[in-house]
């Protein structure tokens, strides 16, 4: 649909929703990558405190990764 037909408020809402969706997807991808890295560090025997330092994940999050298959 042509932008001229959309009221400004509706166009703005659509843009905010789009930007929020992209930001959420990027955040989820970063967390997934951090968890993958932490899992690899655990497999290599790295200390949980170092993994916390390098990834910013909490001790509980890291411990859950260690219990995951």
């Amino acid at each position: 649909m042509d932008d001229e037909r959309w009221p400004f408020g509706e166009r703005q809402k659509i843009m905010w929703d789009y930007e929020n969706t992209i930001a959420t997807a990027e955040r989820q991808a970063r967390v997934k990558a951090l968890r993958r890295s932490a899992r690899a560090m655990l497999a290599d025997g790295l200390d949980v405190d170092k993994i916390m330092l390098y990834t910013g994940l909490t001790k509980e999050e890291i411990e859950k990764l260690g219990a995951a298959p």
Side-chain angles (χ1 to χ4, degrees), residues 41-57:
M41 291 177 198
L42 280 171
D44 283 347
L46 222 63
D47 184 55
V48 172
D49 290 330
K50 288 231 187 228
I51 297 171
M52 289 170 52
L53 177 67
Y54 296 152
T55 64
L57 296 174

Side-chain angles (χ1 to χ4, degrees), residues 51-64:
I51 297 171
M52 289 170 52
L53 177 67
Y54 296 152
T55 64
L57 296 174
T58 66
K59 184 175 184 173
E60 292 78 20
E61 290 172 312
I62 295 166
E63 288 171 347
K64 283 181 189 177

Side-chain angles (χ1 to χ4, degrees), residues 9-62:
E10 187 65 24
R11 282 190 310 221
Q12 190 64 42
K13 182 186 177 311
I14 290 169
M15 286 305 299
W16 285 335
D17 287 346
Y18 172 78
E19 290 168 1
N20 188 44
T21 299
I22 296 299
T24 299
E26 289 172 344
R27 229 179 355 265
Q28 289 172 342
R30 281 192 298 274
V31 169
K32 186 176 181 180
L34 285 173
R35 289 182 181 150
R36 189 174 337 141
S37 295
R39 196 173 284 121
M41 291 177 198
L42 280 171
D44 283 347
L46 222 63
D47 184 55
V48 172
D49 290 330
K50 288 231 187 228
I51 297 171
M52 289 170 52
L53 177 67
Y54 296 152
T55 64
L57 296 174
T58 66
K59 184 175 184 173
E60 292 78 20
E61 290 172 312
I62 295 166

